[in-house]
Amino acid sequence: ETGVTQTPRHLVMGMTNKKSLKCEQHLGHNAMYWYKQSAKKPLELMFVYNFKEQTENNSVPSRFSPECPNSSHLFLHLHTLQPEDSALYLCASSQGTDEKLFFGSGTQLSVL
Amino acid sequence: AQSVTQPDIHITVSEGASLELRCNYSYGATPYLFWYVQSPGQGLQLLLKYFSGDTLVQGIKGFEAEFKRSQSSFNLRKPSVHWSDAAEYFCAVGEKGRRALTFGSGTRLQVQP
């Protein structure tokens, strides 16, 4: 148990579907992140939230829509995705200024 | 902009042998440096980090890393590898005041019996 829980663990969706990924952290952290991990590529930062406010959007397409209702919860709403969006989506959280990230186990997304 | 290079995509070592995984970074100021490990189907777990001070950093599971400013490197080492160390290892760099890390492409470690 890392303190960061992601659901679902696996998701298969068609290109016309709408789905949401959920992340919850039980560590009392004030920052939360979405990262994308594709095969053979470095982890790509997608979004950063600090005290519920989005502080970074790394040029992510609008078909990915994040939501952070409070410091403990983070969502990634998905709609009209493309097959190349298939990847492992990792949520992370951190506290303070030491930038140490705590990761969830990820959601393995397949877009058909 | 900061960047991280892990030159070795895949490394195989025998159990009990020593290990060194390479990491080079590009960043103008003094970076924050990290090593993470990822087991199959899991998220990333922090092994160790360097912010300042002693350039030899001790981490969990018997790992250590050395920050060498002159070489822009932060190589990860372990004196004797165990079969359970087989995983993917990621080097990452951060900067003060920015809540995000830049990761390398990772090095997959295979351990032979």
Side-chain angles (χ1 to χ4, degrees):
Chain A
E1 174 58 52
T2 66
V4 181
T5 304
Q6 289 187 244
T7 55
R9 289 297 305 272
H10 302 273
L11 178 63
V12 179
M13 60 187 289
M15 290 191 285
T16 58
N17 292 158
K18 287 186 179 181
K19 297 286 185 184
S20 295
L21 310 185
K22 179 182 175 182
C23 177
E24 182 175 2
Q25 58 96 358
H26 317 277
L27 302 168
H29 290 167
N30 52 34
M32 296 188 76
Y33 311 74
W34 282 115
Y35 278 87
K36 176 183 178 182
Q37 186 176 28
S38 305
K40 313 292 186 194
K41 293 175 68 175
L43 273 76
E44 301 171 62
L45 176 68
M46 299 177 73
F47 301 102
V48 182
Y49 279 82
N50 190 28
F51 291 104
K52 303 187 302 178
E53 299 299 318
Q54 188 181 117
T55 57
E56 285 203 43
N57 176 339
N58 199 25
S59 303
V60 180
S62 59
R63 58 186 184 269
F64 295 91
S65 175
E67 179 190 1
C68 189
N70 54 61
S71 292
S72 299
H73 293 86
L74 184 65
F75 296 89
L76 189 63
H77 304 301
L78 316 171
H79 63 98
T80 59
L81 294 192
Q82 305 298 312
E84 59 265 30
D85 296 323
S86 299
L88 180 67
Y89 288 84
L90 291 165
C91 174
S93 68
S94 71
Q95 174 68 23
T97 56
D98 70 357
E99 315 302 341
K100 183 167 63 178
L101 297 177
F102 290 79
F103 283 86
S105 297
T107 295
Q108 186 65 54
L109 174 67
S110 296
V111 182
L112 304 179
Chain B
Q2 51 196 343
S3 66
V4 179
T5 302
Q6 293 181 247
D8 305 304
I9 297 173
H10 187 202
I11 283 183
T12 300
V13 299
S14 298
E15 191 168 14
S18 63
L19 171 71
E20 183 169 28
L21 302 183
R22 296 183 291 166
C23 173
N24 293 97
Y25 68 90
S26 173
Y27 181 61
T30 298
Y32 296 164
L33 295 162
F34 305 80
W35 275 100
Y36 284 84
V37 60
Q38 185 180 31
S39 298
Q42 299 297 317
L44 281 71
Q45 181 186 20
L46 180 69
L47 285 176
L48 48 80
K49 64 182 189 291
Y50 170 80
F51 286 168
S52 64
D54 192 346
T55 57
L56 185 62
V57 180
Q58 302 297 320
I60 63 171
K61 305 185 181 187
F63 285 93
E64 66 177 27
E66 187 171 12
F67 171 57
K68 292 186 177 180
R69 184 189 302 276
S70 62
Q71 298 176 19
S72 297
S73 69
F74 189 57
N75 294 349
L76 182 71
R77 300 193 294 250
K78 187 169 184 177
S80 176
V81 170
H82 188 261
W83 65 266
S84 60
D85 294 324
E88 187 143 23
Y89 292 80
F90 294 91
C91 182
V93 61
E95 59 183 285
K96 186 177 180 180
R98 180 170 179 252
R99 283 186 170 276
L101 299 181
T102 299
F103 285 84
S105 301
T107 297
R108 180 163 297 280
L109 173 66
Q110 194 169 1
V111 180
Q112 288 181 334

